[in-house]
Every structure is written in C-alpha cells, then in structure tokens.
Amino acid sequence: MTDAPDTPRRVDDAAHLAGVPDEFQRLWTPHRMAYIQAGPEPLRDECPFCAAPGKTDADGLIVARGRTAFVLLNLFPYNSGHLLVCPYRHIATYDLATAEEVAEIGALTQTAMRVLREVSRCDGFNLGMNQGAVAGAGVDGHLHQHVVPRWATDANFFPIIAKTKALPQLLGEVREAVAAAWPSD
C-alpha cells in the first residue's frame, strides 16, 4: 500500500490482508522454517556442540566458557533465555561424564539460573537432560543440560492450540544480556 507523503500510514489488521478475511492475527516466525523443514533429521553434518566452541562467542551463541564445559543459547528455544550446558567432550550420556565435568556442569547450571533470574526476572525453571533420541534428545550424540526459564504470567494458548511459541527477544539480544551479566571468575 502506498500513501501520499502527507497521509498517515495505515496499519492493516489481518481482516484486511490478502486471503480470506477472518478474526485471527498472524504470528510470523520465518526463522523456524529451517527447523520445520529438517523434520526428524538433524540440521547438520557435524555436531553443533562440538562446532560452537571453535566460533566466536556471538556466532556460537556462547555466553560462558568453563574448563570442561560451556554454556550457550539454544538455537531453537522453548523460551527466551533457554540455555544449554555442554561438556566440550563429545559424549552422549551423563554416565560417561567425568567427575570434573559433572561438577562443572552443575556449577554452570547454578550460575545460569542466577543470571537468568537477574536478567529476565523469571519465576522458575525447567532443568533436564534428554538421553538418546528415544528420550527426545535433538542432538543425541552430545550431552547437554537444558536450563529453561519460566514466568508465572507467560501461560497462554499458543503452545496448546497452535503449537507455536512466541519469543519476545532475538537470540543475539539474549546472548548479549546473559553474557554481560555472567560473573567473571
């Protein structure tokens, strides 16, 4: 739609857009198409958790690096601020981790919770590890712990009815905020 230079620009609601008019608004998430089109197959030729440490923190979505493990944002998050804690070693399950890796994964998870509370003012967390493809691991060859922030006021119909998650922040913005708030040792 083109407006004359002195005419205020009109914002159309969904009922006036092309197609069959209805009362629904549309939530456009084109960045999710890569994930959707990949189906059950991985999006990669190499392990993304092995590749991430070789990139810059911004390109790898890394917010903190430890001695045996690191923390990065989930590329396909359940919520804004969804972090993953991974050992550098490519191991598939928790029982293969060394005592040092287990301790650092635990310490990084605690710090991640503290930082997310400060940065996002979340009310709670889901923590978990899916061990193997049959258990729901998207990257089943490399151990990773999920740290998913939750808010009391964030329950809505999107996930239940539309199988859609509205994410209010871009990954780069979240990574910058979490990395900036991460304590330096």
Side-chain angles (χ1 to χ4, degrees), residues 20-44:
V20 178
D22 60 29
E23 68 280 3
F24 294 105
Q25 296 297 317
R26 303 300 188 262
L27 176 64
W28 302 105
T29 57
H31 61 281
R32 299 278 300 160
M33 188 50 67
Y35 184 73
I36 292 166
Q37 288 177 335
E41 296 302 313
L43 294 174
R44 64 205 80 76

Side-chain angles (χ1 to χ4, degrees), residues 26-80:
R26 303 300 188 262
L27 176 64
W28 302 105
T29 57
H31 61 281
R32 299 278 300 160
M33 188 50 67
Y35 184 73
I36 292 166
Q37 288 177 335
E41 296 302 313
L43 294 174
R44 64 205 80 76
D45 292 326
E46 66 178 317
C47 173
F49 303 140
C50 288
K55 299 177 181 180
T56 66
D57 287 355
D59 288 343
L61 298 176
I62 294 172
V63 298
R65 294 175 188 253
R67 194 165 115 43
T68 65
F70 64 102
V71 182
L72 73 162
L73 284 169
N74 189 331
L75 184 58
F76 301 108
Y78 298 131
N79 275 340
S80 292

Side-chain angles (χ1 to χ4, degrees), residues 96-157:
L96 298 175
T98 66
E100 185 179 10
E101 288 167 330
V102 168
E104 188 163 41
I105 290 167
L108 288 171
T109 299
Q110 288 181 325
T111 302
M113 293 171 67
R114 291 180 191 115
V115 169
L116 286 172
R117 241 187 240 108
E118 175 187 329
V119 169
S120 70
R121 307 285 187 249
C122 58
D123 300 307
F125 297 93
N126 289 118
L127 302 177
M129 294 182 187
N130 300 324
Q131 305 287 286
V134 71
V139 179
D140 63 345
H142 198 128
L143 178 67
H144 56 285
Q145 166 130 305
H146 294 261
V147 181
V148 183
R150 299 291 185 170
W151 295 266
T153 57
D154 195 32
N156 62 48
F157 66 91

Side-chain angles (χ1 to χ4, degrees), residues 58 61-63 73 119 170-182:
L61 298 176
I62 294 172
V63 298
L73 284 169
V119 169
L170 297 174
L171 286 173
E173 293 172 0
V174 175
R175 195 210 70 77
E176 286 178 18
V178 172
W182 201 273

